[in-house]
Amino acid sequence: MNDNILRIAIQKSGRLSEDSLKLIKECGIRFDNGAGKLKTDATNFPAEILFLRDDDIPGYVEDGVAHLGIVGENVSEESCKDVDTVHKLGFSKCRLSIGVLREAEYHGVQDLQGKSIATTYPRLLEQYLKSHDVTADIHEISGSVEIAPSIGLADAVCDIVSSGSTLLSNGLKEVETIFRSEAVMIASKHLSPVQQDLLDQLLFRIKSVQVAKN
Ligand code: ATP
Ligand code: ZN
């Protein structure tokens, strides 16, 4: 493998994609992102961009297949992969929240004791419940979490919320926020000296872009 270039993994298509691409471009890195491409070379910086599913990014960075990645902190923390979070990027802000049926009585997190909760974030949920001395039955499902209470699959859900409208339209109310997230840059723990230097240059540019915006 070439130790003299940085491989940067970003989401192929989704809520992180546009801002991730914009950030890289604002750092002055030029590349051709022809539709459907999974990998592209930067033309004026020793970097390659990989376009992946966001869930796969922490694993690729841990393995060193990608040296840097842009993902939601929610995904990075849930993955428990051994990577460094090197910078918070300020976009794709959202929260991981618990919701229960609108008509359910809810006084506090203790009310979740013994209940079943559907989520795609079992680890973050488990940590949260543990820190509040609550034991619940966590059902890991991979999507359409919000429908679970209304079809009797679970008493509550734990999912990503930004405006709260998805919860509302599924007859749920948001009762606890367990994690606040934004896009972060993660890095491999096994960078070569050249890659570390390229990362430092990139971070300097990112910080300059952020300062210019504020
Ligand atoms: P992929 O196909 O790459 O797996 P995905 O469907 O898992 O995509 P997206 O919905 O594109 O993921 O969300 C990517 C990230 O954007 C989330 O992990 C989260 O950090 C952030 N995000 C911001 N707002 C929202 C929102 N309203 N709903 C879901 N995720 C959001
Ligand atoms: Zn995903």
Side-chain angles (χ1 to χ4, degrees):
M1 253 214 285
N2 185 346
D3 283 348
N4 299 321
I5 63 154
L6 269 186
R7 271 212 186 130
I8 309 171
I10 66 172
Q11 190 187 25
K12 180 167 162 46
S13 75
R15 295 175 201 264
L16 294 159
S17 309
E18 198 181 312
D19 285 328
S20 302
L21 280 173
K22 195 166 124 218
L23 181 76
I24 294 173
K25 285 182 182 156
E26 281 172 346
C27 288
I29 297 179
R30 283 199 286 275
F31 55 90
D32 159 35
N33 62 327
K37 267 198 168 182
L38 299 180
K39 179 164 103 57
T40 190
D41 295 320
T43 53
N44 60 348
F45 193 82
E48 267 173 22
I49 322 282
L50 304 184
F51 300 92
L52 302 170
R53 280 202 60 189
D54 67 343
D55 314 70
D56 295 332
I57 292 176
Y60 277 102
V61 173
E62 182 185 60
D63 295 343
V65 172
H67 309 111
L68 294 183
I70 297 179
V71 278
E73 229 173 336
N74 51 321
V75 165
S76 171
E77 289 294 315
E78 178 68 25
S79 77
C80 287
K81 299 292 184 193
D82 192 22
V83 297
D84 286 329
T85 299
V86 290
H87 201 60
K88 295 202 179 209
L89 300 172
F91 56 83
S92 296
K93 289 192 176 173
C94 57
R95 55 194 189 272
L96 191 57
S97 290
I98 296 177
V100 298
L101 284 171
R102 199 158 41 216
E103 58 275 15
E105 264 196 51
Y106 188 88
H107 307 285
V109 62
Q110 293 74 22
D111 287 356
L112 296 169
Q113 178 67 35
K115 297 281 166 61
S116 60
I117 310 177
T119 188
T120 39
Y121 294 90
R123 289 180 173 145
L124 290 173
L125 177 58
E126 169 101 60
Q127 278 170 21
Y128 176 82
L129 293 174
K130 220 174 185 175
S131 71
H132 288 82
D133 283 325
V134 169
T135 311
D137 185 12
I138 300 177
H139 279 273
E140 182 176 359
I141 54 179
S142 58
S144 306
V145 170
E146 286 90 352
I147 201 178
S150 64
I151 61 172
L153 180 68
D155 301 305
V157 300
C158 174
D159 204 9
I160 293 292
V161 175
S162 58
S163 70
S165 60
T166 310
L167 285 183
L168 272 184
S169 60
N170 284 284
L172 302 171
K173 59 183 174 187
E174 188 175 354
V175 292
E176 305 287 346
T177 296
I178 74 163
F179 189 79
R180 288 189 186 278
S181 180
E182 64 186 86
V184 289
M185 177 157 280
I186 55 173
S188 157
K189 293 198 161 165
H190 310 286
L191 298 180
S192 70
V194 172
Q195 287 162 344
Q196 184 60 51
D197 182 56
L198 291 171
L199 170 58
D200 292 341
Q201 288 181 42
L202 193 61
L203 284 175
F204 181 82
R205 294 189 193 185
I206 290 174
K207 287 173 191 165
S208 309
V209 169
Q210 287 177 332
V211 167
K213 279 187 180 170
N214 287 323

